[in-house]
Amino acid sequence: MRISRLLISALFFAVSCSTVAAQPYPERAVRLIVPFGAGGITDIVARQVGKELGDALGQSVIIENRPGAGGVIGAQLAATSAPDGYTLFLGTVGTQIVNPLVRDKISYDPNRDFLPVGMVSSSPFMLAVHPSVQAQDFAQFVTYAKAHPGQLNFGSAGNASSPHLGLELLKLTSGVDITHVPFKSGIEAVNAAMGGQVDVVMDAIPVIMPQVQAGKLRALVLANPSPLPSAPGVPTSADVHVPQLQISSWNGLYVPAGTPAPIAATLNTALQKALSSPALSERLASQGTQMYKGTNEEYQQFITAEKAKWTDIIQRAHIRLD
């Protein structure tokens, strides 16, 4: 009788575990960690894509901003979260490529600690100046900067941030000498440029273009080989004969390593559905952000090319944080 009761208990436990395991994912809200502050391009994309992703999953996607240390704080939090599909991470060129290149000690490994779900979007950068700067176009800007080495100040989201990398790329491709002034966020840098505390700023179109349209900044060049409807009248890097000046804020969706494959597959399916939303594509495209439509293989090729590009620039510019 005792053995029978034990067998019945064991069977009941097995059935209970099987029932729990078979419960559909997700059962509750999912959090999406954004490694930068509110108002920046990564946050803008997270909130708009997060809404569509939540609709596709049938659960809310809660945005959690964890800025600091060039994205390290948010990345570390995501990397050490339970791999159960309820913590997502919106990685960037900074968190997935740059941080390991500029820091001797880093609390996470982008390759070891994360599993990519898929590429999300890309937002080309735009170079702009305060209206007081004596340059009406890019050619005049380069001429002025060369005639006044070190006198123009460039505001960025911080050392080794994407805008800082854009500055170093600008210096290497145009031969100008501009002083770097790091801020805690891209929004602070843009506000400083609008207020005339710094002369030059570079950031994604959704961050810069509204200030250009308001007359608070003057756009000089789009760091993209082709024009975009969201930046009417702004010349491209090809137009100003500096085709190497290409930089964008791209985002990829990741989960902690060890997340079960079926959950990762569910997230990928939901992400593709979200990115296929005509309303989302139109809304972000009007702001200068392009949804990613490539395959996972093309995504890996893109990451490989980005790593090679920024490794070279970081080494040539001697960027280190430790």
XYZ file of all heavy atoms in Angstrom, residues 38-135:
705
model
N 16.233 57.494 -21.436
C 15.019 57.833 -22.171
C 15.271 58.985 -23.133
O 16.044 59.892 -22.841
C 13.907 58.202 -21.199
N 14.628 58.936 -24.291
C 14.711 60.022 -25.257
C 15.724 59.826 -26.356
O 15.659 60.497 -27.389
N 16.702 58.935 -26.151
C 17.689 58.663 -27.175
C 17.141 57.718 -28.230
O 16.038 57.169 -28.101
N 17.922 57.471 -29.281
C 17.431 56.674 -30.392
C 17.141 55.236 -29.980
O 16.144 54.636 -30.412
C 18.428 56.716 -31.579
C 17.896 55.895 -32.750
C 19.806 56.258 -31.157
C 16.537 56.335 -33.256
N 17.960 54.654 -29.100
C 17.717 53.276 -28.671
C 16.404 53.179 -27.909
O 15.629 52.223 -28.097
C 18.878 52.774 -27.793
O 20.121 52.994 -28.471
C 18.739 51.291 -27.505
N 16.134 54.163 -27.084
C 14.885 54.191 -26.327
C 13.689 54.398 -27.250
O 12.643 53.757 -27.091
C 14.949 55.309 -25.286
C 13.666 55.428 -24.474
O 13.399 54.525 -23.665
O 12.937 56.424 -24.667
N 13.846 55.281 -28.234
C 12.754 55.537 -29.189
C 12.370 54.254 -29.918
O 11.182 53.904 -30.033
C 13.172 56.633 -30.198
C 13.281 57.992 -29.500
C 12.167 56.707 -31.352
C 13.860 59.086 -30.371
N 13.368 53.541 -30.404
C 13.106 52.285 -31.122
C 12.496 51.246 -30.189
O 11.539 50.551 -30.548
C 14.413 51.755 -31.755
C 14.211 50.338 -32.285
C 14.871 52.675 -32.879
N 13.042 51.147 -28.974
C 12.549 50.148 -28.019
C 11.066 50.329 -27.742
O 10.305 49.351 -27.704
C 13.344 50.238 -26.723
N 10.650 51.549 -27.539
C 9.257 51.795 -27.180
C 8.306 51.522 -28.348
O 7.195 51.014 -28.155
C 9.097 53.218 -26.648
C 9.825 53.392 -25.328
C 9.678 54.762 -24.702
N 10.512 54.827 -23.507
C 10.183 54.311 -22.321
N 9.001 53.730 -22.184
N 10.995 54.383 -21.289
N 8.723 51.864 -29.553
C 7.832 51.653 -30.690
C 7.801 50.185 -31.122
O 6.739 49.633 -31.396
C 8.251 52.563 -31.843
C 8.210 54.038 -31.466
C 7.914 54.935 -32.644
O 7.141 54.607 -33.526
N 8.528 56.112 -32.643
N 8.976 49.557 -31.157
C 9.020 48.143 -31.529
C 8.452 47.287 -30.403
O 7.775 46.282 -30.645
C 10.464 47.716 -31.858
C 10.537 46.207 -32.086
C 10.969 48.450 -33.094
N 8.699 47.701 -29.144
C 8.204 46.946 -28.004
C 6.695 46.810 -28.002
O 6.144 45.759 -27.628
N 5.999 47.843 -28.415
C 4.530 47.793 -28.475
C 4.075 46.730 -29.474
O 3.192 45.908 -29.170
C 3.990 49.170 -28.883
C 2.494 49.212 -29.184
C 1.655 48.858 -27.961
C 0.170 49.133 -28.190
N -0.388 48.325 -29.301
N 4.676 46.717 -30.663
C 4.293 45.739 -31.683
C 4.726 44.333 -31.263
O 4.008 43.356 -31.517
C 4.943 46.107 -33.018
C 4.494 47.439 -33.604
C 3.061 47.394 -34.115
O 2.549 46.287 -34.353
O 2.470 48.477 -34.299
N 5.881 44.228 -30.627
C 6.355 42.923 -30.169
C 5.413 42.359 -29.116
O 5.094 41.161 -29.121
C 7.773 43.052 -29.597
C 8.436 41.762 -29.101
C 8.620 40.779 -30.252
C 9.779 42.081 -28.459
N 4.961 43.221 -28.222
C 4.012 42.784 -27.203
C 2.707 42.293 -27.808
O 2.146 41.282 -27.372
N 2.227 43.001 -28.819
C 1.001 42.577 -29.500
C 1.192 41.197 -30.136
O 0.288 40.349 -30.089
C 0.606 43.583 -30.577
C 0.122 44.909 -29.976
O -0.178 44.935 -28.767
O 0.059 45.904 -30.724
N 2.382 40.979 -30.711
C 2.653 39.695 -31.364
C 2.765 38.561 -30.351
O 2.395 37.418 -30.631
C 3.937 39.789 -32.186
N 3.274 38.882 -29.159
C 3.433 37.869 -28.109
C 2.153 37.659 -27.304
O 2.004 36.646 -26.623
C 4.560 38.270 -27.151
C 5.986 38.186 -27.674
C 6.953 38.834 -26.678
C 6.390 36.729 -27.933
N 1.271 38.641 -27.347
C 0.059 38.561 -26.541
C 0.286 38.940 -25.094
O -0.524 38.600 -24.224
N 1.379 39.643 -24.823
C 1.706 40.109 -23.477
C 2.341 41.498 -23.579
O 2.830 41.892 -24.636
C 2.694 39.156 -22.778
C 2.145 37.794 -22.447
C 1.157 37.803 -21.286
O 1.008 38.804 -20.591
N 0.484 36.683 -21.078
N 2.350 42.219 -22.468
C 2.981 43.539 -22.458
C 4.503 43.391 -22.477
O 5.058 42.466 -21.882
C 2.571 44.318 -21.202
O 1.182 44.535 -21.170
N 5.152 44.301 -23.179
C 6.612 44.404 -23.136
C 6.936 45.693 -22.399
O 6.627 46.790 -22.863
C 7.223 44.425 -24.557
C 8.717 44.724 -24.488
C 6.989 43.086 -25.246
N 7.526 45.556 -21.228
C 7.819 46.693 -20.361
C 9.241 47.172 -20.597
O 10.192 46.402 -20.458
C 7.634 46.307 -18.883
C 6.189 45.842 -18.647
C 7.978 47.471 -17.969
C 5.953 45.249 -17.273
N 9.384 48.440 -20.972
C 10.703 49.011 -21.236
C 11.369 49.396 -19.916
O 10.771 50.090 -19.092
C 10.601 50.251 -22.144
C 9.811 49.925 -23.413
C 11.988 50.772 -22.481
C 10.375 48.794 -24.232
N 12.589 48.950 -19.740
C 13.341 49.240 -18.523
C 14.668 49.891 -18.913
O 15.573 49.220 -19.400
C 13.587 47.958 -17.735
C 14.232 48.190 -16.379
C 14.305 46.923 -15.540
O 13.348 46.133 -15.562
O 15.340 46.721 -14.876
N 14.776 51.199 -18.723
C 16.011 51.922 -19.047
C 17.038 51.718 -17.948
O 16.772 52.004 -16.780
C 15.731 53.416 -19.214
C 14.825 53.710 -20.390
O 13.615 53.781 -20.249
N 15.409 53.864 -21.560
N 18.215 51.215 -18.318
C 19.317 51.032 -17.372
C 20.585 51.635 -17.974
O 21.487 50.924 -18.411
C 19.516 49.545 -17.074
C 18.405 48.932 -16.223
C 18.316 49.602 -14.849
N 17.344 48.939 -13.988
C 17.678 48.073 -13.029
N 18.946 47.767 -12.829
N 16.744 47.524 -12.288
N 20.668 52.978 -18.012
C 21.829 53.628 -18.628
C 23.051 53.601 -17.711
O 22.938 53.339 -16.507
C 21.332 55.058 -18.835
C 20.366 55.273 -17.707
C 19.662 53.942 -17.533
N 24.197 53.883 -18.306
C 25.415 54.013 -17.519
C 26.576 53.224 -18.094
O 26.396 52.144 -18.663
N 27.779 53.811 -17.989
C 29.034 53.150 -18.390
C 28.999 52.684 -19.842
O 29.476 51.594 -20.175
C 29.333 51.986 -17.461
N 28.438 53.513 -20.724
C 28.425 53.172 -22.143
C 27.609 51.936 -22.474
O 27.890 51.248 -23.462
N 26.605 51.654 -21.670
C 25.752 50.492 -21.917
C 26.135 49.266 -21.108
O 25.415 48.269 -21.123
N 27.260 49.336 -20.378
C 27.741 48.179 -19.617
C 26.752 47.778 -18.526
O 26.496 46.593 -18.303
C 29.128 48.453 -19.009
C 29.525 47.349 -18.032
C 30.171 48.571 -20.108
N 26.183 48.761 -17.824
C 25.283 48.458 -16.710
C 24.059 47.674 -17.192
O 23.678 46.648 -16.608
C 24.856 49.755 -15.998
C 26.067 50.365 -15.275
C 23.719 49.484 -15.022
C 25.773 51.700 -14.620
N 23.430 48.145 -18.257
C 22.263 47.448 -18.790
C 22.612 46.080 -19.350
O 21.873 45.107 -19.152
N 23.744 45.998 -20.039
C 24.163 44.721 -20.621
C 24.476 43.702 -19.541
O 24.124 42.521 -19.655
C 25.381 44.931 -21.521
N 25.150 44.140 -18.469
C 25.477 43.247 -17.368
C 24.203 42.713 -16.707
O 24.098 41.524 -16.394
C 26.331 43.992 -16.333
C 26.471 43.311 -14.983
C 27.319 42.052 -15.018
O 27.947 41.776 -16.025
N 27.325 41.307 -13.932
N 23.219 43.592 -16.508
C 21.956 43.175 -15.902
C 21.267 42.126 -16.762
O 20.784 41.104 -16.259
C 21.048 44.382 -15.709
C 19.642 44.097 -15.174
C 19.711 43.459 -13.799
C 18.814 45.375 -15.139
N 21.232 42.378 -18.068
C 20.575 41.437 -18.972
C 21.327 40.110 -19.037
O 20.724 39.035 -19.039
C 20.458 42.045 -20.363
N 22.651 40.187 -19.081
C 23.465 38.981 -19.212
C 23.325 38.050 -18.023
O 23.440 36.821 -18.158
C 24.935 39.365 -19.396
N 23.069 38.602 -16.844
C 22.974 37.786 -15.631
C 21.519 37.494 -15.228
O 21.285 36.939 -14.166
C 23.686 38.487 -14.459
O 23.145 39.810 -14.277
C 25.180 38.606 -14.735
N 20.572 37.861 -16.076
C 19.165 37.581 -15.796
C 18.843 36.119 -16.114
O 19.557 35.460 -16.881
C 18.260 38.500 -16.612
O 18.420 39.848 -16.217
N 17.769 35.637 -15.534
C 17.357 34.251 -15.773
C 17.068 34.041 -17.259
O 16.367 34.851 -17.882
C 16.119 33.928 -14.946
N 17.585 32.968 -17.852
C 17.364 32.698 -19.279
C 16.013 32.027 -19.525
O 15.941 30.905 -20.030
C 18.528 31.768 -19.625
C 18.774 31.016 -18.356
C 18.507 31.987 -17.241
N 14.959 32.721 -19.160
C 13.616 32.142 -19.246
C 12.716 32.841 -20.258
O 11.518 32.550 -20.332
C 12.954 32.164 -17.867
C 12.895 33.571 -17.257
O 13.242 34.550 -17.949
O 12.521 33.681 -16.074
N 13.283 33.786 -21.014
C 12.492 34.482 -22.018
C 11.751 35.697 -21.517
O 11.093 36.378 -22.302
N 11.865 35.988 -20.228
C 11.143 37.130 -19.674
C 12.029 38.369 -19.510
O 11.571 39.401 -19.036
C 10.481 36.750 -18.347
C 9.329 35.805 -18.570
C 9.507 34.434 -18.421
C 8.085 36.278 -18.985
C 8.454 33.558 -18.663
C 7.040 35.416 -19.234
C 7.222 34.047 -19.082
O 6.184 33.185 -19.344
N 13.298 38.242 -19.904
C 14.196 39.397 -19.967
C 14.810 39.443 -21.352
O 15.501 38.507 -21.773
C 15.310 39.309 -18.914
O 14.745 39.366 -17.604
C 16.272 40.485 -19.073
N 14.530 40.524 -22.066
C 15.096 40.762 -23.390
C 16.066 41.927 -23.287
O 16.013 42.722 -22.358
C 14.001 41.084 -24.404
C 12.751 40.196 -24.395
C 11.775 40.664 -25.472
C 13.128 38.746 -24.595
N 16.942 42.030 -24.264
C 17.950 43.094 -24.256
C 18.066 43.688 -25.649
O 18.162 42.957 -26.635
C 19.300 42.534 -23.808
C 20.414 43.551 -23.793
C 20.364 44.649 -22.944
C 21.520 43.408 -24.618
C 21.389 45.584 -22.907
C 22.552 44.334 -24.599
C 22.475 45.426 -23.737
N 18.047 45.031 -25.723
C 18.217 45.703 -27.005
C 19.676 46.129 -27.128
O 20.094 47.165 -26.617
C 17.288 46.916 -27.111
C 17.088 47.461 -28.535
C 16.464 46.389 -29.433
C 16.194 48.695 -28.533
N 20.464 45.289 -27.772
C 21.893 45.543 -27.919
C 22.190 46.526 -29.038
O 21.397 46.705 -29.965
N 23.341 47.175 -28.948
C 23.762 48.174 -29.927
C 25.205 47.916 -30.328
O 25.875 47.027 -29.786
C 23.665 49.583 -29.328
O 24.654 49.708 -28.281
C 22.273 49.851 -28.742
N 25.702 48.721 -31.246
C 27.108 48.610 -31.631
C 28.010 48.821 -30.416
O 29.065 48.198 -30.301
C 27.452 49.612 -32.753
C 27.252 51.054 -32.296
C 28.893 49.426 -33.238
N 27.558 49.669 -29.491
C 28.353 49.933 -28.298
C 28.432 48.737 -27.378
O 29.511 48.339 -26.929
N 27.275 48.129 -27.086
C 27.252 47.022 -26.127
C 27.794 45.732 -26.711
O 28.424 44.939 -26.016
C 25.833 46.784 -25.610
O 24.972 46.397 -26.697
C 25.285 48.021 -24.925
N 27.558 45.495 -28.005
C 27.919 44.211 -28.600
C 29.286 44.203 -29.279
O 29.850 43.136 -29.492
C 26.847 43.787 -29.607
C 25.424 43.793 -29.067
C 25.268 43.024 -27.762
O 24.990 43.579 -26.711
N 25.492 41.726 -27.831
N 29.824 45.363 -29.624
C 31.095 45.399 -30.351
C 32.128 46.295 -29.684
O 33.264 45.877 -29.419
C 30.877 45.849 -31.810
C 30.071 44.788 -32.570
C 32.209 46.109 -32.505
C 29.761 45.145 -33.993
N 31.753 47.536 -29.382
C 32.741 48.529 -28.957
C 33.272 48.289 -27.546
O 34.489 48.364 -27.318
C 32.145 49.956 -29.061
C 33.121 50.987 -28.499
C 31.828 50.274 -30.513
N 32.394 48.034 -26.581
C 32.838 47.914 -25.188
C 33.989 46.932 -24.987
O 34.960 47.242 -24.301
C 31.657 47.563 -24.280
C 30.776 48.768 -23.994
O 31.208 49.903 -24.098
N 29.524 48.518 -23.638
N 33.927 45.725 -25.571
C 35.059 44.813 -25.393
C 36.347 45.312 -26.046
O 37.443 44.883 -25.657
C 34.581 43.526 -26.074
C 33.096 43.611 -26.055
C 32.800 45.067 -26.247
N 36.235 46.219 -27.013
C 37.418 46.731 -27.707
C 38.106 47.867 -26.959
O 39.303 48.093 -27.137
C 37.034 47.222 -29.113
C 36.495 46.174 -30.092
C 36.049 46.849 -31.382
C 37.551 45.109 -30.378
N 37.356 48.575 -26.117
C 37.921 49.766 -25.467
C 38.131 49.586 -23.964
O 38.656 50.471 -23.295
C 37.038 51.007 -25.709
C 36.929 51.302 -27.201
C 35.648 50.827 -25.096
N 37.705 48.436 -23.431
C 37.851 48.189 -21.990
C 38.679 46.926 -21.759
O 38.418 45.882 -22.359
C 36.471 48.021 -21.333
C 35.582 49.245 -21.438
C 34.200 48.947 -20.872
N 33.285 50.072 -21.057
C 33.128 51.051 -20.178
N 33.821 51.043 -19.051
N 32.282 52.049 -20.406
N 39.666 47.013 -20.872
C 40.445 45.836 -20.512
C 39.637 44.880 -19.654
O 39.772 43.671 -19.745
C 41.713 46.250 -19.755
C 42.706 46.991 -20.654
O 42.757 46.657 -21.850
O 43.406 47.888 -20.166
N 38.791 45.436 -18.796
C 37.960 44.622 -17.922
C 36.500 44.952 -18.196
O 36.096 46.106 -18.109
C 38.296 44.899 -16.460
C 39.732 44.530 -16.066
C 39.996 44.849 -14.607
C 41.427 44.497 -14.217
N 41.706 44.811 -12.791
N 35.745 43.950 -18.519
C 34.332 44.144 -18.800
C 33.551 43.016 -18.136
O 34.020 41.863 -18.085
C 34.071 44.192 -20.323
C 32.634 44.600 -20.620
C 34.416 42.889 -20.983
C 32.389 44.898 -22.090
N 32.395 43.337 -17.586
C 31.648 42.405 -16.752
C 30.776 41.425 -17.538
O 30.047 40.642 -16.940
C 30.776 43.185 -15.759
O 29.946 44.104 -16.465
N 30.827 41.469 -18.845
C 30.052 40.539 -19.655
C 30.771 40.281 -20.957
O 31.647 41.056 -21.372
C 28.647 41.088 -19.930
C 28.625 42.269 -20.889
C 28.367 42.088 -22.250
C 28.887 43.557 -20.449
C 28.368 43.159 -23.131
C 28.892 44.633 -21.312
C 28.629 44.429 -22.655
O 28.643 45.497 -23.525
N 30.441 39.206 -21.616
C 31.003 38.853 -22.917
C 29.847 38.789 -23.914
O 28.964 37.940 -23.785
C 31.709 37.505 -22.836
C 32.392 37.124 -24.139
O 31.822 37.383 -25.222
O 33.502 36.563 -24.086
N 29.818 39.699 -24.903
C 28.690 39.729 -25.840
C 28.451 38.404 -26.553
O 27.300 38.046 -26.835
C 29.087 40.822 -26.834
C 30.049 41.679 -26.096
C 30.808 40.754 -25.193
N 29.517 37.680 -26.848
C 29.374 36.417 -27.572
C 28.984 35.268 -26.647
O 28.182 34.407 -27.015
C 30.675 36.073 -28.293
C 31.042 37.106 -29.337
O 30.196 37.558 -30.100
N 32.303 37.502 -29.366
N 29.539 35.254 -25.442
C 29.283 34.155 -24.507
C 27.951 34.286 -23.777
O 27.259 33.306 -23.520
C 30.421 34.095 -23.483
C 30.298 32.998 -22.421
C 31.228 33.283 -21.259
N 30.846 34.515 -20.551
C 31.702 35.289 -19.904
N 32.984 35.001 -19.882
N 31.260 36.385 -19.276
N 27.587 35.525 -23.424
C 26.469 35.752 -22.502
C 25.135 36.049 -23.177
O 24.120 36.153 -22.484
C 26.810 36.903 -21.552
C 28.002 36.586 -20.670
O 28.248 35.394 -20.425
O 28.705 37.516 -20.244
N 25.136 36.215 -24.500
C 23.889 36.561 -25.184
C 23.607 35.640 -26.354
O 24.526 35.143 -27.011
C 23.934 38.006 -25.696
C 23.854 39.041 -24.618
C 24.983 39.740 -24.217
C 22.652 39.317 -23.990
C 24.914 40.702 -23.222
C 22.570 40.269 -22.984
C 23.706 40.963 -22.606
N 22.325 35.452 -26.592
C 21.856 34.716 -27.753
C 21.070 35.693 -28.630
O 20.096 36.290 -28.165
C 20.947 33.568 -27.312
C 20.263 32.750 -28.422
C 21.311 31.955 -29.189
C 19.207 31.818 -27.817
N 21.506 35.906 -29.880
C 20.786 36.859 -30.733
C 19.435 36.317 -31.183
O 19.321 35.162 -31.582
C 21.734 37.051 -31.926
C 22.545 35.802 -31.969
C 22.698 35.342 -30.542
N 18.423 37.177 -31.082
C 17.085 36.836 -31.564
C 16.913 37.348 -32.985
O 16.361 36.674 -33.850
C 15.999 37.439 -30.646
C 14.608 37.231 -31.245
C 16.081 36.807 -29.263
N 17.425 38.562 -33.232
C 17.348 39.121 -34.574
C 17.662 40.600 -34.588
O 17.554 41.290 -33.576
N 18.075 41.073 -35.747
C 18.323 42.492 -35.954
C 16.987 43.233 -35.945
O 15.968 42.698 -36.384
C 19.022 42.704 -37.293
C 19.469 44.115 -37.563
S 20.940 44.568 -36.631
C 21.427 46.050 -37.523
N 17.005 44.466 -35.431
C 15.762 45.227 -35.317
C 15.725 46.401 -36.294
O 14.836 46.491 -37.140
C 15.563 45.734 -33.869
C 14.318 46.622 -33.782
C 15.434 44.556 -32.914
N 16.689 47.318 -36.177
C 16.602 48.525 -36.995
C 17.953 49.202 -37.127
O 18.931 48.835 -36.459
C 15.623 49.518 -36.360
O 16.156 50.007 -35.131
N 17.984 50.199 -37.995
C 19.189 50.998 -38.198
C 18.778 52.445 -38.467
O 17.867 52.696 -39.270
C 19.995 50.469 -39.388
O 21.135 51.269 -39.631
N 19.445 53.382 -37.772
C 19.143 54.810 -37.928
C 20.426 55.556 -38.292
O 21.305 55.718 -37.438
C 18.567 55.385 -36.626
O 17.418 54.695 -36.222
N 20.576 55.982 -39.539
C 21.780 56.713 -39.936
C 21.983 57.975 -39.110
O 21.016 58.622 -38.694
C 21.522 57.044 -41.404
C 20.563 55.997 -41.860
C 19.679 55.738 -40.677
N 23.232 58.337 -38.907
C 23.571 59.538 -38.162
C 23.589 60.768 -39.068
O 23.740 60.663 -40.273
C 24.948 59.388 -37.511
C 24.910 58.701 -36.165
C 23.859 57.894 -35.796
C 25.948 58.862 -35.264
C 23.813 57.261 -34.566
C 25.933 58.234 -34.025
C 24.862 57.437 -33.672
N 23.432 61.911 -38.427
C 23.480 63.189 -39.117
C 24.414 64.126 -38.367
O 24.386 64.189 -37.138
C 22.066 63.794 -39.187
C 21.991 65.139 -39.894
S 20.290 65.803 -39.824
C 19.437 64.621 -40.873
N 25.262 64.819 -39.108
C 26.175 65.808 -38.530
C 25.514 67.177 -38.603
O 25.022 67.584 -39.654
C 27.493 65.826 -39.297
C 28.559 66.817 -38.799
C 29.155 66.340 -37.477
C 29.672 66.980 -39.838
N 25.492 67.883 -37.469
C 24.857 69.199 -37.422
C 25.682 70.147 -36.563
O 26.483 69.716 -35.727
C 23.444 69.092 -36.864
N 25.467 71.432 -36.772
C 26.193 72.456 -36.016
C 25.216 73.491 -35.474
O 24.080 73.607 -35.953
C 27.249 73.170 -36.899
C 28.322 72.183 -37.352
C 26.584 73.837 -38.099
N 25.678 74.217 -34.469
C 24.901 75.345 -33.966
C 24.860 76.425 -35.057
O 25.844 76.602 -35.794
C 25.544 75.901 -32.695
C 24.742 76.975 -32.034
N 24.942 78.319 -32.307
C 23.731 76.907 -31.133
C 24.088 79.026 -31.584
N 23.344 78.207 -30.863
N 23.757 77.148 -35.215
C 23.650 78.154 -36.282
C 24.747 79.211 -36.261
O 25.004 79.853 -37.288
C 22.276 78.784 -36.027
C 21.497 77.701 -35.364
C 22.482 76.977 -34.488
N 25.412 79.400 -35.129
C 26.469 80.419 -35.056
C 27.762 79.987 -35.736
O 28.627 80.822 -36.026
C 26.767 80.766 -33.589
O 27.293 79.645 -32.907
N 27.900 78.697 -35.999
C 29.117 78.206 -36.659
C 29.163 78.737 -38.090
O 28.178 78.661 -38.830
C 29.163 76.665 -36.656
C 30.357 76.155 -37.454
C 29.236 76.139 -35.223
N 30.321 79.273 -38.468
C 30.462 79.928 -39.774
C 30.696 78.899 -40.883
O 31.763 78.853 -41.507
C 31.611 80.933 -39.715
C 31.382 82.044 -38.690
C 32.557 82.994 -38.604
O 33.261 83.225 -39.586
N 32.777 83.557 -37.420
N 29.685 78.089 -41.123
C 29.743 77.088 -42.189
C 28.326 76.762 -42.612
O 27.526 76.283 -41.799
C 30.461 75.838 -41.701
